[in-house]
Amino acid sequence: MPDVMKIYNHFPVTVQNAACTLKGMSVRHKRYSPYFMKKWKQFQKTGTYSYEQVKEYQDKKLKKLLIHSYETVPYYKKEFDDYGFNPYRFQHADEMAVLPILTKDVLKEHIQEFLSSARLSSKTFIHLTGGTTGKALTYYTTLHEQEIQWAVWWRYRNGLGIRMGDWCAEFGSKAVVPPEWKKAPYWRFDYAEHRKFFSPYHLNADTVRNYAEGLCGVKWVHGYTSKLADMAYWLVQNGIVIPMEHITAGAENLYDTQKKLIEQAFGNRVYQHYGLTEGAANFSQKRDGRLRVDEDFCYVEFVNSGREQAVVGTPLHYYRMPLIRYAAGDYARLSENQDGGFRIVEALHGRDSEYIVTNRGTKITAVEFDEEIFAKVSHAAEAQVVQKSRDELEIRVIRMDGYTVADEEMLMRRLNEIVGRGMKYTVSYPEELERAENGKFKMVVRNDI
């Protein structure tokens, strides 16, 4: 089979734009059918539900899903019987607490047993999903399930004032510009989906002004948090501000240091979204800044785990591979406030792997590093912690103009105060920070110790 990307890379820019557009046409066809519009309208209505309406809606959807899982999914037939759980007598969501929490490791081990034998109304697709945990798995979903997810995501975007058809400058992991490319443009067009894909792999001090020119005239920028932060870093370094009407970040946690940098470069507030390919949990930030649980899309539990709350979710609309009480490895903190019948997430705390363990046995999370240490260093654009051993940490810092010995002294002072003086610290200044294989950024890189 020919290497499609090798062929693509040899085409001229106009043909590459056409190829991106053809792909966009395929994506548009899969996402935005009349079924999508039907679900989008339904979510507009259910998004205004009261607490009582949300609970009634969730219990009804959960009962249908649980019965389906018992009758057609081998893993749940056995599990429900083993735990004495009767889905036909199910009444309230809290009754599911008798069932064990499903981890990614268990799902990977028994993956085929989670597939439903039912004949569903739309085509099945296979996804490879792994987030930033490094534990990739194969997940099965249907065309209709994808459309339902996009209906929820567009409700979020519409709530921020973004409309379908608005042109978007996108910074993701797509290698749309050939690696050996040495001149502008460092982006390619998808005219079908109105997306302008910018290469994250050609951005540097020499090309930043080309990127800035490419961003002019676009009013919405979207992408991986770390990719947006990279772009923002080079803009700020060169004294450039590209005002945007809309800034949206996803796929990764949005840390305070990144948030400040992105908002400085693009002159507006950045909004974040949290979602899973598996559809088990979804949070959408509203214009007022509140991060709202999409209760009509999924049932989410926040399970206490030390100082954190593990996100444990059950999709309400996914039937090809339903995941009940699924923990993807993310942590958050639930607010006491609500928006009608929808709960509010006070803070996202990242993945279960994003922490170091000191030689005293204390866990320090990525969020604590960000808020209590890196945010205090005035001229640090981004930073990353690498745990070399139980006693040694390497701190990698991307410096802004104006970074001096005083910044490093502040960094060391905060490390000693927060992490402890019994650790060995080394500070390095690489040109870029380490990424996972999927291109996502991890603030904490921890060896198995």
Side-chain angles (χ1 to χ4, degrees), residues 283-301:
F283 312 150
S284 301
Q285 194 168 19
K286 299 187 69 177
R287 193 187 285 268
D288 61 12
R290 292 183 297 176
L291 191 61
R292 192 173 86 153
V293 181
D294 290 303
E295 312 275 10
D296 49 353
F297 178 70
C298 49
Y299 170 66
V300 181
E301 302 168 69

Side-chain angles (χ1 to χ4, degrees), residues 142-213:
T142 69
L143 178 60
H144 281 348
E145 290 166 0
Q146 292 179 43
E147 290 176 295
I148 291 170
Q149 188 173 55
W150 276 100
V152 171
W153 289 354
W154 268 108
R155 177 177 68 183
Y156 148 69
R157 291 175 173 182
N158 287 165
L160 299 178
I162 302 168
R163 296 292 176 260
M164 293 186 69
D166 288 351
W167 273 96
C168 177
E170 189 163 314
F171 287 81
S173 61
K174 293 182 175 66
V176 294
V177 178
E180 66 277 5
W181 199 257
K182 301 295 184 184
K183 60 181 180 179
Y186 298 104
W187 54 85
R188 298 294 183 264
F189 287 96
D190 168 8
Y191 292 99
E193 281 273 74
H194 287 185
R195 293 183 294 180
K196 196 172 184 179
F197 293 116
F198 284 77
S199 168
Y201 309 112
H202 296 74
L203 178 61
N204 54 50
D206 297 325
T207 62
V208 60
R209 293 191 180 277
N210 297 125
Y211 278 77
E213 291 172 6

Side-chain angles (χ1 to χ4, degrees), residues 46 55 75 94 104 179 183 208 268 290 297 311 354 422:
T46 56
K55 288 302 175 188
Y75 185 89
D94 54 10
K104 187 169 286 189
K183 60 181 180 179
V208 60
N268 211 334
R290 292 183 297 176
F297 178 70
V311 177
E354 291 192 296

Side-chain angles (χ1 to χ4, degrees), residues 153-413:
W153 289 354
W154 268 108
R155 177 177 68 183
Y156 148 69
R157 291 175 173 182
N158 287 165
L160 299 178
I162 302 168
R163 296 292 176 260
M164 293 186 69
D166 288 351
W167 273 96
C168 177
E170 189 163 314
F171 287 81
S173 61
K174 293 182 175 66
V176 294
V177 178
E180 66 277 5
W181 199 257
K182 301 295 184 184
K183 60 181 180 179
Y186 298 104
W187 54 85
R188 298 294 183 264
F189 287 96
D190 168 8
Y191 292 99
E193 281 273 74
H194 287 185
R195 293 183 294 180
K196 196 172 184 179
F197 293 116
F198 284 77
S199 168
Y201 309 112
H202 296 74
L203 178 61
N204 54 50
D206 297 325
T207 62
V208 60
R209 293 191 180 277
N210 297 125
Y211 278 77
E213 291 172 6
L215 285 168
C216 289
V218 181
K219 297 302 181 183
W220 171 28
V221 62
H222 170 77
Y224 285 10
T225 302
S226 61
K227 305 299 185 185
L228 293 179
D230 287 347
M231 184 69 237
Y233 164 76
W234 287 111
L235 291 175
V236 172
Q237 283 288 85
N238 287 271
I240 303 171
V241 176
I242 308 291
M244 289 286 166
E245 291 182 7
H246 309 290
I247 314 166
T248 54
E252 303 168 300
N253 201 15
L254 176 63
Y255 297 106
D256 281 350
T257 49
Q258 296 170 321
K259 183 176 185 293
K260 292 174 184 176
L261 190 63
I262 293 168
E263 292 180 346
Q264 182 180 351
F266 296 115
N268 211 334
R269 185 171 190 168
V270 57
Y271 292 88
Q272 66 177 319
H273 163 264
Y274 166 88
L276 300 173
T277 301
E278 302 93 315
N282 207 80
F283 312 150
S284 301
Q285 194 168 19
K286 299 187 69 177
R287 193 187 285 268
D288 61 12
R290 292 183 297 176
L291 191 61
R292 192 173 86 153
V293 181
D294 290 303
E295 312 275 10
D296 49 353
F297 178 70
C298 49
Y299 170 66
V300 181
E301 302 168 69
F302 295 85
V303 180
N304 288 331
S305 176
R307 294 178 296 172
E308 303 166 319
Q309 292 175 302
V311 177
V312 176
T314 303
L316 300 179
H317 305 270
Y318 284 28
Y319 284 80
R320 173 55 70 211
M321 183 178 277
L323 305 181
I324 298 168
R325 305 200 75 208
Y326 177 62
D330 295 310
Y331 291 83
R333 183 171 67 249
L334 190 63
S335 171
E336 295 180 356
N337 299 318
Q338 290 207 172
D339 177 28
F342 293 71
R343 291 168 294 172
I344 301 298
V345 174
E346 190 170 294
L348 287 172
H349 282 256
R351 296 280 179 172
D352 59 359
S353 59
E354 291 192 296
Y355 65 86
I356 64 100
V357 179
T358 71
N359 50 14
R360 305 188 312 275
T362 303
K363 180 194 292 186
I364 309 292
T365 68
V367 172
E368 291 172 288
F369 274 103
D370 181 57
E371 295 179 351
E372 300 297 332
I373 299 174
F374 301 144
K376 311 299 181 183
V377 182
S378 300
H379 299 93
E382 279 192 294
Q384 186 174 57
V385 183
V386 181
Q387 181 152 28
K388 300 286 191 178
S389 70
R390 184 59 67 94
D391 302 296
E392 182 181 2
L393 300 180
E394 177 189 357
I395 314 300
R396 299 170 180 170
V397 179
I398 301 297
R399 293 173 288 189
M400 299 286 292
D401 287 342
Y403 189 96
T404 67
V405 66
D407 290 288
E408 186 171 306
E409 289 173 350
M410 173 59 76
L411 174 62
M412 295 302 295
R413 185 183 312 133

Side-chain angles (χ1 to χ4, degrees), residues 69 112 132 333 435 437:
S69 300
Q112 294 301 317
T132 54
R333 183 171 67 249
R435 311 283 181 187
E437 289 185 4

